[in-house]
Amino acid sequence: MRIKLAPSILSADFARLGEQVRAAEEAGADYIHVDIMDGHFVPNLTMGPGVVGAVRRVTSLPLDVHLMIESPDSLLSSFVESGASTITVHQEACNVHLHYLLSKIRDMGVRAGVAVNPSTPIAVLEEVLGLADLVLVMTVNPGFGGQKMIPATIEKVRRLASLMSAQGSRAEIEVDGGITPENAGGLVAAGAQVLVAGSSVFNGQASVAENVAALRRAIEAYTC
Ligand code: DX5
Ligand code: ZN
């Protein structure tokens, strides 16, 4: 199975956003990950549907929209209209039933994702896995790019993979936060299928193309 890479534009140079998204696409990215933060659910403010729409116009890649916002229900249609391909909501942020919310996202014609923070047990997803196209295991506490991956989350990915296989779930397992060429292989070995990477793609000395290639090499070493 091809492991997917989803560069997070949170770490991109916003003054050159279109150029950086195109560089990620040319480097072989599979999704563009867009982090939406509201200053309430997480202590940071980032972007909204306008930026999703702008990114939509410069790439043909699926847009993987990660909502770190309270009450996501009221904003779903704006993100769908802006061009989101997958919309991921946090289990911890849902003020309405998760069952309802995931069904609503699918009914709007986009893929439905559900995310859990490092402190949230996987077991809370048991009853909704059948409604999810993607399950996002946060490997850092959400809010900021550039943090270190929390090692205990590797075992959590393994537990999720085994729960999903027991249920026959075909959702993708995504990991997000602190992913580098050094730890990517271990996460893939545990069952991660989509790797989100912000600073290891857009920051640092090397080009976006070189950074994506380094992640790809690290993954291939584990999947061959
Ligand atoms: C963190 C965001 C991540 C972030 C990842 O709250 O959800 O998507 O951009 O950035 P890095 O890869 O730098 O940890
Ligand atoms: Zn994210």
Side-chain angles (χ1 to χ4, degrees):
M1 179 208 305
R2 178 182 159 89
I3 302 299
K4 293 177 177 150
L5 283 179
S8 162
I9 60 168
L10 185 60
S11 299
D13 177 351
F14 288 171
R16 299 186 297 127
L17 188 54
E19 192 187 307
Q20 297 235 288
V21 167
R22 278 191 289 264
E25 180 167 10
E26 279 160 24
D30 298 282
Y31 299 155
I32 298 296
H33 185 84
V34 189
D35 287 305
I36 311 294
M37 306 188 187
D38 67 352
H40 295 279
F41 179 64
V42 289
N44 194 7
L45 271 175
T46 56
M47 44 204 137
V51 173
V52 173
V55 174
R56 179 70 293 157
R57 290 190 284 279
V58 297
T59 180
S60 57
L61 290 180
L63 302 186
D64 179 33
V65 176
H66 177 191
L67 298 185
M68 287 159 277
I69 62 176
E70 284 178 6
S71 307
D73 193 13
S74 60
L75 282 166
L76 292 178
S77 57
S78 306
F79 285 106
V80 172
E81 282 156 26
S82 304
S85 311
T86 301
I87 295 184
T88 297
V89 293
H90 267 261
Q91 186 274 339
E92 304 88 353
C94 292
N95 61 335
V96 295
H97 304 291
L98 195 50
H99 189 284
Y100 159 81
L101 207 55
L102 293 173
S103 309
K104 180 170 172 180
I105 295 171
R106 275 186 171 174
D107 288 348
M108 292 172 129
V110 300
R111 297 169 77 232
V114 58
V116 283
N117 285 335
S119 61
T120 303
I122 282 300
V124 299
L125 300 178
E126 251 178 63
E127 309 302 327
V128 294
L129 280 181
L131 297 166
D133 301 298
L134 178 145
V135 180
L136 168 49
V137 177
M138 288 304 302
T139 44
V140 299
N141 289 303
F144 300 93
Q147 303 181 71
K148 281 209 159 34
M149 195 266 285
I150 299 170
T153 56
I154 300 179
E155 200 43 48
K156 193 173 176 184
V157 169
R158 199 167 279 126
R159 288 198 302 278
L160 171 64
S162 113
L163 176 65
M164 284 173 54
S165 109
Q167 286 201 12
S169 161
R170 299 172 62 146
E172 287 184 312
I173 299 181
E174 181 176 67
V175 287
D176 180 6
I179 313 289
T180 64
E182 289 69 40
N183 60 31
L187 286 159
V188 168
Q193 299 157 310
V194 184
L195 307 184
V196 176
S199 30
S200 62
V201 168
F202 291 110
N203 289 347
Q205 307 293 316
S207 68
V208 168
E210 285 164 337
N211 290 338
V212 168
L215 281 165
R216 192 66 77 192
R217 277 196 302 275
I219 295 165
E220 274 159 14
Y222 267 80
T223 48
C224 288

